[in-house]
Amino acid sequence: MGRAVLDAVLPPLCLGCNEIVGAPGALCTRCWQGFSFISAPQCACCGTPFAEDLGPGALCAGCLARRPRYHQARAALVYDDGSKRLVLPFKHGDRTDIARACGAWMARAGADLLASADLVAPVPLHWRRLFVRRYNQAQLLARIVVRTAATERKPRLMPDLLRRRRWTGSQAGLRARERRSNVREAFDIHPKWLAEVSGRTVLLVDDVLTTGATVEACARVLERAGARRVDVLTLARVVRPAL
């Protein structure tokens, strides 16, 4: 009864366009159809979606040319004009309510990675960015992902496992090589968790995978600390046009 009264006064709105929907955190039919959800077939390593099934273990051209530092990456959505209507307000517009639905989509997209993960760690923000934004969007997503993971053994959420020890500014507009240079040696592991990493499988969580420079810098730090495997799960990922 309480839910019915609340919905009558403040009806639930679509996350994408603010049209009235049946339940909080849902998308209307039009927005759902306009979102590009990622599923198989996809690159066995980075998760780039394929137009056709190339067989088990198939890699995209990018991974064949240069294998990432992480073991596998998965994302829920293609980062395009449709998903930007969620990602940008969530990341820059204080729309933290979006995290619940997005985290659930990520948990489904990364179900296999969550099943083998020991630790889940968000990509950290520098304290200056965190001061301005007031929240780390990757941490909000990581919390929902762990909470909704359909696994018998829940991985351990470690919000402060990694630290961004120096200011790197915005990565927007930088090329892949420039991005890698910009985040080199920008991260470290919090000293109190060093002993927890050795021999563990760590799942990194972030909002968008663009070139992979940031998560690879984090993976490098974790591997140096003895992590057995590092995987990546993001809400969205940039998909380069096929050559």
Side-chain angles (χ1 to χ4, degrees):
M1 184 179 297
R3 168 61 65 184
V5 172
L6 182 61
D7 287 350
V9 178
L10 297 171
L13 303 178
C14 170
L15 295 175
C17 68
N18 290 330
E19 290 292 326
I20 296 177
V21 292
L27 294 170
C28 68
T29 303
R30 183 176 60 181
C31 285
W32 183 268
Q33 293 175 345
F35 280 33
S36 300
F37 286 88
I38 298 175
S39 60
Q42 55 191 312
C43 173
C45 179
C46 75
T48 293
F50 289 150
E52 58 185 47
D53 192 351
L54 301 180
L59 299 178
C60 67
C63 289
L64 286 171
R66 179 186 173 274
R67 191 70 181 249
R69 293 296 298 254
Y70 54 77
H71 183 73
Q72 281 186 305
R74 294 293 180 265
L77 295 164
V78 172
Y79 189 61
D80 55 15
D81 290 341
S83 61
K84 285 179 182 179
R85 289 185 292 158
L86 285 183
V87 175
L88 297 182
F90 171 51
K91 188 171 182 176
H92 302 293
D94 291 335
R95 287 290 310 276
T96 56
D97 58 294
I98 293 175
R100 183 174 182 180
C102 294
W105 299 338
M106 292 169 64
R108 287 194 291 271
D112 291 344
L113 304 186
L114 283 162
S116 60
D118 299 306
L119 310 175
V120 174
V123 172
L125 293 179
H126 189 268
W127 68 265
R128 289 167 56 185
R129 181 65 55 80
L130 185 60
F131 179 79
V132 173
R133 189 174 294 170
R134 302 187 305 280
Y135 61 92
N136 179 358
Q137 70 279 3
Q139 183 173 329
L140 296 181
L141 291 172
R143 184 177 294 118
I144 301 298
V145 164
V146 171
R147 186 184 304 165
T148 58
T151 57
E152 295 182 4
R153 178 184 61 86
K154 294 280 187 179
R156 180 182 178 186
L157 176 63
M158 302 188 74
D160 59 344
L161 176 63
L162 291 167
R163 303 183 301 184
R164 191 182 292 250
R165 64 183 186 181
R166 67 174 177 82
W167 174 254
T168 56
S170 174
Q171 296 272 76
L174 299 180
R175 298 179 179 179
R177 183 176 298 177
E178 295 170 330
R179 285 172 176 253
R180 289 194 292 269
S181 177
N182 189 43
V183 295
R184 186 173 295 120
E185 306 299 333
F187 301 93
D188 67 2
I189 297 175
H190 197 296
K192 68 179 179 180
W193 300 127
L194 275 172
E196 300 291 334
V197 175
S198 182
R200 303 294 183 89
T201 296
V202 182
L203 179 61
L204 290 171
V205 172
D206 205 0
D207 52 0
V208 180
L209 182 67
T210 307
T211 64
T214 298
V215 292
E216 287 196 65
C218 292
R220 184 178 294 108
V221 168
L222 291 165
E223 289 171 354
R224 288 174 181 172
R228 183 175 65 86
R229 169 173 161 173
V230 179
D231 293 320
V232 177
L233 179 60
T234 61
L235 170 57
R237 64 156 299 128
V238 172
V239 175
R240 308 295 180 187
L243 298 178

